[in-house]
Amino acid sequence: MAEAQLFVSQEEFICSICLHTLTDPVSLHCGHSFCLKCLSDCWDQSQVCSCPQCRHVFMLRPELKRNTLLNEVIKKLKKTAHSSPSSKNYAGPGDVECDFCTGKKFRAVKSCLTCLASFCQTHLQPHYEIAAWKGHKLVDPDRNLKEKLCEKHQKSLEMFCRTDKTCICMMCGMTEHDGHEKVELETEREGKKKQLGATLRGIRRRLEEKEKKLRETRKTVEEMKVS
């Protein structure tokens, strides 16, 4: 049987006292875990032994023993993070964050117009592996996914109505825009891109012609000065 893949990261194993990845983790009866040293120091400085996270009070100071299983999980996560290039792909200013990362978020590599969410490389994998998700429409990371929805039908804007010059969803195309001239949004986008490219080339050509005339005029002036 193939091994199931569990999407977790180091950021999910943070000590709430030092705010770093757990070191020699110990788990209390209330379910919360801390670094052995952090919790010991905390209790040494307090007259009451309580959980620093949920404030559950222990009548007797529990004996702290390292959680062996949790410690091995964290070790493997650290090893995976150091060997994986994705460990350096944290989202920075201007990047689109992964909506499924917890703690410090990774940079999104794709946004899904069907899920209306953005995914890092790890959390994107189900879209390539799960049959029901393979048909979803993936695009480059986009922080304004809600703007891609039709306000009336809450469906993806997949078409362009050339009659009304507006983006519409499939439901709009079958109702109020029925009979209008419509094309796929991507087709209209490519057409506009080509028009813009042609316009820019025309502007550059005219600028080059003006610069050439300016050089010729300057040359003529210099020749007149010499003569």
Side-chain angles (χ1 to χ4, degrees), residues 189-212:
R189 184 183 292 115
E190 288 300 318
K192 294 294 185 185
K193 188 185 293 184
K194 289 179 180 178
Q195 289 179 11
L196 180 60
T199 302
L200 288 174
R201 286 193 295 272
I203 292 172
R204 288 197 197 99
R205 186 172 60 252
R206 289 193 294 272
L207 284 173
E208 289 170 359
E209 290 173 355
K210 288 183 178 181
E211 287 176 356
K212 182 180 178 181

Short mmCIF file of all heavy atoms in Angstrom, two decimals, residues 189-212:
data_model
loop_
_atom_site.label_atom_id
_atom_site.label_comp_id
_atom_site.label_asym_id
_atom_site.label_seq_id
_atom_site.Cartn_x
_atom_site.Cartn_y
_atom_site.Cartn_z
N ARG A 189 -8.28 38.07 -23.97
CA ARG A 189 -7.05 38.58 -23.36
C ARG A 189 -5.89 38.53 -24.34
O ARG A 189 -5.11 39.48 -24.45
CB ARG A 189 -6.72 37.76 -22.10
CG ARG A 189 -5.51 38.28 -21.34
CD ARG A 189 -5.16 37.41 -20.15
NE ARG A 189 -6.19 37.48 -19.12
CZ ARG A 189 -6.96 36.47 -18.75
NH1 ARG A 189 -6.84 35.30 -19.36
NH2 ARG A 189 -7.85 36.62 -17.80
N GLU A 190 -5.78 37.40 -25.07
CA GLU A 190 -4.70 37.27 -26.04
C GLU A 190 -4.85 38.29 -27.16
O GLU A 190 -3.86 38.86 -27.64
CB GLU A 190 -4.68 35.85 -26.62
CG GLU A 190 -4.19 34.79 -25.64
CD GLU A 190 -2.78 35.06 -25.17
OE1 GLU A 190 -1.94 35.45 -26.02
OE2 GLU A 190 -2.52 34.90 -23.96
N GLY A 191 -6.10 38.52 -27.59
CA GLY A 191 -6.35 39.51 -28.65
C GLY A 191 -5.95 40.91 -28.19
O GLY A 191 -5.31 41.66 -28.95
N LYS A 192 -6.32 41.28 -26.96
CA LYS A 192 -5.96 42.59 -26.43
C LYS A 192 -4.46 42.73 -26.28
O LYS A 192 -3.89 43.81 -26.50
CB LYS A 192 -6.64 42.80 -25.06
CG LYS A 192 -8.16 42.88 -25.11
CD LYS A 192 -8.64 44.12 -25.86
CE LYS A 192 -10.15 44.24 -25.80
NZ LYS A 192 -10.65 45.37 -26.62
N LYS A 193 -3.81 41.62 -25.91
CA LYS A 193 -2.35 41.65 -25.74
C LYS A 193 -1.66 41.92 -27.08
O LYS A 193 -0.70 42.70 -27.16
CB LYS A 193 -1.86 40.31 -25.16
CG LYS A 193 -0.39 40.30 -24.77
CD LYS A 193 0.06 38.93 -24.32
CE LYS A 193 -0.61 38.51 -23.04
NZ LYS A 193 -0.10 37.20 -22.56
N LYS A 194 -2.17 41.29 -28.13
CA LYS A 194 -1.60 41.51 -29.47
C LYS A 194 -1.83 42.95 -29.92
O LYS A 194 -0.94 43.58 -30.50
CB LYS A 194 -2.22 40.53 -30.47
CG LYS A 194 -1.77 39.09 -30.27
CD LYS A 194 -2.43 38.17 -31.28
CE LYS A 194 -1.99 36.73 -31.07
NZ LYS A 194 -2.67 35.80 -32.02
N GLN A 195 -3.03 43.49 -29.66
CA GLN A 195 -3.32 44.88 -30.01
C GLN A 195 -2.39 45.84 -29.27
O GLN A 195 -1.87 46.79 -29.86
CB GLN A 195 -4.78 45.22 -29.68
CG GLN A 195 -5.80 44.55 -30.59
CD GLN A 195 -7.22 44.90 -30.20
OE1 GLN A 195 -7.45 45.79 -29.38
NE2 GLN A 195 -8.18 44.19 -30.78
N LEU A 196 -2.19 45.56 -27.99
CA LEU A 196 -1.32 46.41 -27.19
C LEU A 196 0.12 46.35 -27.70
O LEU A 196 0.81 47.37 -27.79
CB LEU A 196 -1.37 45.98 -25.72
CG LEU A 196 -0.50 46.76 -24.74
CD1 LEU A 196 -0.90 48.23 -24.74
CD2 LEU A 196 -0.62 46.19 -23.32
N GLY A 197 0.55 45.13 -28.06
CA GLY A 197 1.90 44.96 -28.60
C GLY A 197 2.08 45.74 -29.89
O GLY A 197 3.12 46.41 -30.09
N ALA A 198 1.08 45.69 -30.77
CA ALA A 198 1.15 46.44 -32.03
C ALA A 198 1.19 47.94 -31.77
O ALA A 198 1.93 48.69 -32.42
CB ALA A 198 -0.05 46.08 -32.90
N THR A 199 0.40 48.41 -30.80
CA THR A 199 0.39 49.84 -30.45
C THR A 199 1.74 50.28 -29.92
O THR A 199 2.26 51.34 -30.30
CB THR A 199 -0.70 50.11 -29.39
OG1 THR A 199 -1.97 49.71 -29.91
CG2 THR A 199 -0.75 51.59 -29.05
N LEU A 200 2.34 49.46 -29.03
CA LEU A 200 3.65 49.80 -28.47
C LEU A 200 4.73 49.84 -29.55
O LEU A 200 5.60 50.72 -29.53
CB LEU A 200 4.02 48.78 -27.38
CG LEU A 200 3.24 48.88 -26.07
CD1 LEU A 200 3.60 47.73 -25.15
CD2 LEU A 200 3.53 50.20 -25.38
N ARG A 201 4.65 48.88 -30.48
CA ARG A 201 5.64 48.88 -31.57
C ARG A 201 5.50 50.14 -32.43
O ARG A 201 6.49 50.72 -32.87
CB ARG A 201 5.46 47.62 -32.43
CG ARG A 201 5.97 46.35 -31.75
CD ARG A 201 6.06 45.19 -32.74
NE ARG A 201 4.74 44.81 -33.24
CZ ARG A 201 3.95 43.92 -32.65
NH1 ARG A 201 4.33 43.36 -31.51
NH2 ARG A 201 2.77 43.61 -33.17
N GLY A 202 4.25 50.57 -32.67
CA GLY A 202 4.01 51.79 -33.44
C GLY A 202 4.57 53.01 -32.72
O GLY A 202 5.18 53.90 -33.35
N ILE A 203 4.39 53.07 -31.40
CA ILE A 203 4.91 54.20 -30.61
C ILE A 203 6.43 54.23 -30.66
O ILE A 203 7.04 55.29 -30.84
CB ILE A 203 4.40 54.10 -29.16
CG1 ILE A 203 2.89 54.33 -29.12
CG2 ILE A 203 5.11 55.12 -28.28
CD1 ILE A 203 2.27 54.07 -27.76
N ARG A 204 7.04 53.04 -30.50
CA ARG A 204 8.52 52.98 -30.56
C ARG A 204 9.03 53.43 -31.92
O ARG A 204 10.03 54.14 -32.01
CB ARG A 204 8.99 51.55 -30.27
CG ARG A 204 8.85 51.12 -28.83
CD ARG A 204 9.69 49.90 -28.55
NE ARG A 204 9.29 49.23 -27.33
CZ ARG A 204 8.51 48.17 -27.26
NH1 ARG A 204 8.03 47.64 -28.40
NH2 ARG A 204 8.18 47.63 -26.11
N ARG A 205 8.36 53.00 -32.98
CA ARG A 205 8.79 53.37 -34.33
C ARG A 205 8.72 54.87 -34.53
O ARG A 205 9.64 55.49 -35.09
CB ARG A 205 7.93 52.65 -35.36
CG ARG A 205 8.40 52.85 -36.81
CD ARG A 205 7.65 51.98 -37.79
NE ARG A 205 6.23 52.27 -37.77
CZ ARG A 205 5.31 51.46 -37.25
NH1 ARG A 205 5.67 50.32 -36.69
NH2 ARG A 205 4.02 51.78 -37.27
N ARG A 206 7.64 55.49 -34.06
CA ARG A 206 7.51 56.95 -34.21
C ARG A 206 8.56 57.69 -33.38
O ARG A 206 9.10 58.70 -33.80
CB ARG A 206 6.10 57.39 -33.81
CG ARG A 206 5.02 56.97 -34.82
CD ARG A 206 3.72 57.68 -34.58
NE ARG A 206 3.11 57.30 -33.32
CZ ARG A 206 2.29 56.26 -33.17
NH1 ARG A 206 2.00 55.49 -34.22
NH2 ARG A 206 1.75 55.98 -32.01
N LEU A 207 8.86 57.16 -32.18
CA LEU A 207 9.89 57.77 -31.34
C LEU A 207 11.26 57.69 -32.01
O LEU A 207 12.04 58.64 -31.98
CB LEU A 207 9.93 57.08 -29.97
CG LEU A 207 8.81 57.43 -28.98
CD1 LEU A 207 8.90 56.55 -27.75
CD2 LEU A 207 8.90 58.89 -28.59
N GLU A 208 11.55 56.51 -32.61
CA GLU A 208 12.84 56.35 -33.29
C GLU A 208 12.95 57.31 -34.47
O GLU A 208 14.02 57.88 -34.73
CB GLU A 208 12.99 54.90 -33.77
CG GLU A 208 13.21 53.91 -32.63
CD GLU A 208 13.12 52.47 -33.09
OE1 GLU A 208 12.87 52.26 -34.30
OE2 GLU A 208 13.33 51.56 -32.26
N GLU A 209 11.84 57.50 -35.21
CA GLU A 209 11.85 58.44 -36.35
C GLU A 209 12.10 59.87 -35.88
O GLU A 209 12.86 60.62 -36.50
CB GLU A 209 10.53 58.35 -37.10
CG GLU A 209 10.34 57.03 -37.86
CD GLU A 209 8.96 56.90 -38.46
OE1 GLU A 209 8.11 57.79 -38.19
OE2 GLU A 209 8.70 55.91 -39.19
N LYS A 210 11.45 60.25 -34.75
CA LYS A 210 11.64 61.60 -34.22
C LYS A 210 13.08 61.81 -33.74
O LYS A 210 13.67 62.87 -33.93
CB LYS A 210 10.65 61.85 -33.08
CG LYS A 210 9.21 62.03 -33.56
CD LYS A 210 8.28 62.35 -32.41
CE LYS A 210 6.86 62.56 -32.91
NZ LYS A 210 5.92 62.89 -31.81
N GLU A 211 13.63 60.76 -33.07
CA GLU A 211 15.02 60.86 -32.60
C GLU A 211 15.98 60.99 -33.78
O GLU A 211 16.96 61.74 -33.73
CB GLU A 211 15.37 59.63 -31.75
CG GLU A 211 14.72 59.64 -30.38
CD GLU A 211 14.99 58.37 -29.61
OE1 GLU A 211 15.64 57.45 -30.20
OE2 GLU A 211 14.57 58.27 -28.45
N LYS A 212 15.69 60.25 -34.86
CA LYS A 212 16.54 60.34 -36.06
C LYS A 212 16.49 61.74 -36.66
O LYS A 212 17.53 62.32 -37.02
CB LYS A 212 16.06 59.31 -37.09
CG LYS A 212 16.90 59.27 -38.35
CD LYS A 212 16.37 58.22 -39.32
CE LYS A 212 17.18 58.22 -40.60
NZ LYS A 212 16.66 57.22 -41.58
#
